[in-house]
């Protein structure tokens, strides 16, 4: 990571409230001065993507975060969430994979954007590590972080995984805030991290479009096959539970699918799955709304969820119609 450290060699220890508010606004609202459409594969699109990621950087510093004191009930709720091991390890892998893939890219604009993305993944790991330390959350030992042998595959897995997980995390985060089960100070502490994930998947979606557009045609079939393979791998991964053993012989179970199943752990609000999915869609739209509309957004997970919701509502209407008809016949049946 030493190569990445020079990107942001100094971050302010105690910025003013005005500076923080300005940085937060600029991290969420950005438009390119480049006129006209931003077609993937063009110099204009590539430059706009790189500019977006650089200019929306939020200079918060993990080492100076003041973690709020939690009451016993809230502390138990935080420490019992089955996500901390896998969250820390995921960020550790992501920083390495993105830095490794950035080294493979010749284009200076995309290389710079992906290197900055790797730096921010490292900062996410620092934030999570500080939280774990502040609240004495028991953790399994971290595995060694080794550069991937197949750099492209590892980067695709990380990028698509973030697109899926962030979509559901946006909804769960909003649900936790509405429920009021976590102190607002803690919500506000993690808010910049959540918005940063939005920027990360915005970058990935536009990198993917740029990569496809600039790839020689004869490489495209193999690449698309790899993309399908990544989706199959992620589907399998999210049906599994990750287990690890700590130094004392205790088993740690980590739910790879927590972003879908974790509503009951985040809130005591009785929310049905369709309502949660709609909340995820709404939050996804809200977080992306401040960025230049000409940049592409991740579409696979939102489209699947929209399709599922449409099918659920159609089934509900059909079921209601059948029940109504059966009820009508029962009323008019001869005694």
């Amino acid at each position: 990571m030493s190569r990445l450290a020079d990107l942001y060699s100094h971050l302010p220890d105690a910025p003013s409230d005005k500076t923080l508010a300005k940085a937060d606004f600029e991290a969420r609202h950005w438009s390119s001065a480049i006129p006209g459409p931003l077609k993937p594969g063009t110099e204009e699109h590539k430059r706009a993507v790189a500019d977006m990621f650089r200019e929306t950087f939020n200079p918060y510093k993990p080492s100076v975060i003041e973690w709020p004191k939690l009451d016993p009930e809230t502390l138990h709720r935080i420490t019992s969430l089955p996500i901390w091991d896998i969250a820390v390890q995921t960020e550790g892998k992501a920083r390495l994979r993105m830095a490794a893939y950035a080294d493979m890219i010749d284009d200076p604009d995309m290389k710079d954007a992906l290197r900055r993305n790797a730096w921010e993944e490292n900062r996410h790991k620092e934030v999570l590590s500080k939280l774990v330390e502040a609240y004495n959350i028991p953790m399994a030992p971290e595995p060694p972080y080794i550069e991937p042998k197949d750099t492209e595959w590892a980067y695709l897995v990380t990028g698509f995984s973030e697109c899926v997980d962030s979509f559901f995390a946006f909804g769960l985060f909003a649900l936790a805030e509405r429920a009021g089960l976590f102190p607002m100070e803690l919500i506000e502490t993690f808010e910049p991290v959540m918005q940063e994930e939005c920027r990360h998947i915005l970058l990935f979606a536009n990198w993917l479009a740029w990569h496809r557009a600039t790839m020689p045609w004869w490489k495209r079939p193999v690449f698309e096959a790899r993309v399908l393979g990544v989706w199959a791998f992620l589907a399998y991964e999210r049906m599994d539970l990750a287990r690890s053993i700590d130094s004392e012989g205790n088993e740690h179970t980590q739910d790879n699918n927590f972003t879908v199943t974790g509503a009951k752990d985040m809130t005591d609000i009785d929310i049905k799955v369709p309502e949660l999915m709609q909340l995820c869609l709404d939050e996804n739209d809200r977080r992306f709304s401040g960025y230049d509309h000409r940049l592409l957004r991740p579409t696979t997970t939102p489209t699947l969820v929209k399709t599922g919701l449409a099918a659920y509502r159609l089934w509900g209407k059909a079921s209601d119609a059948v029940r109504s008809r059966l009820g009508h016949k029962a009323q008019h049946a001869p005694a």
Side-chain angles (χ1 to χ4, degrees):
M1 292 298 296
S2 59
R3 293 169 296 175
L4 301 177
D6 294 336
L7 286 173
Y8 303 104
S9 58
H10 176 72
L11 297 179
D13 286 337
S16 66
D17 290 343
K18 184 177 181 180
T19 299
L20 288 173
K22 182 175 183 290
D24 184 72
F25 180 85
E26 292 176 348
R28 301 165 188 272
H29 301 84
W30 183 88
S31 292
S32 174
I34 299 172
L38 298 176
K39 183 179 178 181
T42 63
E43 183 69 21
E44 291 79 9
H45 172 260
K46 181 199 66 174
R47 197 165 72 247
V49 172
D51 289 346
M52 177 279 297
F53 204 79
R54 184 179 62 255
E55 294 171 8
T56 56
F57 173 72
N58 190 333
Y60 67 86
K61 192 172 182 179
S63 61
V64 299
I65 291 176
E66 295 184 7
W67 297 99
K69 187 175 180 179
L70 305 178
D71 62 79
E73 183 181 353
T74 302
L75 180 61
H76 175 72
R77 188 178 297 115
I78 291 287
T79 57
S80 62
L81 291 175
I83 61 172
W84 302 116
D85 295 328
I86 201 168
V88 171
Q89 293 173 24
T90 296
E91 299 294 354
K93 292 175 184 176
R95 61 175 179 174
L96 193 63
R97 292 173 177 182
M98 291 184 177
Y101 190 78
D103 287 343
M104 294 177 56
I105 298 178
D106 293 326
D107 184 90
D109 289 324
M110 279 297 179
K111 178 186 286 289
D112 178 71
L114 266 64
R115 290 182 74 240
R116 292 176 188 275
N117 198 166
W119 188 96
E120 291 185 8
E121 297 291 358
N122 185 59
R123 183 167 62 170
H124 285 189
K125 184 177 185 297
E126 289 185 44
V127 171
L128 291 171
S129 298
K130 294 292 183 182
L131 178 145
V132 165
E133 179 183 346
Y135 297 132
N136 296 314
I137 298 174
M139 298 280 289
E142 289 187 61
Y145 296 108
I146 303 171
E147 286 201 13
K149 294 180 180 179
D150 189 336
T151 305
E152 182 185 67
W153 171 268
Y155 178 66
L156 289 172
V157 167
T158 297
F160 282 116
S161 181
E162 285 199 336
C163 289
V164 175
D165 293 340
S166 295
F167 175 84
F168 294 111
F170 295 157
L172 288 176
F173 190 76
L175 186 62
E177 181 177 0
R178 293 181 185 182
L181 295 182
F182 300 112
M184 187 52 63
E185 296 90 341
L186 192 60
I187 295 291
E188 291 174 349
T189 296
F190 266 98
E191 175 57 36
V193 178
M194 296 299 297
Q195 192 63 32
E196 229 165 40
E197 290 295 351
C198 179
R199 291 171 55 255
H200 290 182
I201 60 178
L202 182 64
L203 171 62
F204 181 76
N206 284 274
W207 164 84
L208 185 63
W210 169 81
H211 187 58
R212 281 171 164 155
T214 57
M215 180 186 302
W217 66 268
W218 51 272
K219 288 186 177 181
R220 186 71 179 268
V222 174
F223 179 77
E224 297 302 338
R226 302 203 90 193
V227 169
L228 290 175
V230 168
W231 280 113
F233 170 76
L234 293 179
Y236 170 79
E237 184 184 51
R238 275 149 182 75
M239 292 187 293
D240 192 20
L241 288 177
R243 291 182 173 86
S244 57
I245 306 297
D246 64 20
S247 58
E248 298 179 355
N250 299 313
E251 183 180 70
H252 293 250
T253 301
Q254 306 158 39
D255 188 353
N256 285 325
N257 204 28
F258 177 81
T259 49
V260 180
T261 63
K264 64 181 181 297
D265 296 304
M266 300 289 287
T267 174
D268 58 1
I269 294 178
D270 184 17
I271 184 169
K272 297 180 180 178
V273 171
E275 295 171 345
L276 178 59
M277 293 302 99
Q278 186 60 56
L279 178 60
C280 290
L281 286 169
D282 294 342
E283 283 297 298
N284 188 69
D285 290 343
R286 181 182 70 83
R287 289 193 178 274
F288 280 112
S289 64
Y291 302 112
D292 197 313
H293 69 277
R294 294 173 294 173
L295 295 180
L296 301 177
R297 273 69 168 157
T299 58
T300 302
T301 304
T303 299
L304 289 174
V305 170
K306 288 177 182 178
T307 302
L309 283 176
Y312 172 82
R313 289 162 182 159
L314 184 62
W315 174 259
K317 290 180 180 179
S319 298
D320 291 343
V322 170
R323 282 194 295 267
S324 177
R325 182 173 298 179
L326 291 175
H328 179 75
K329 288 183 178 180
Q331 289 178 1
H332 293 81

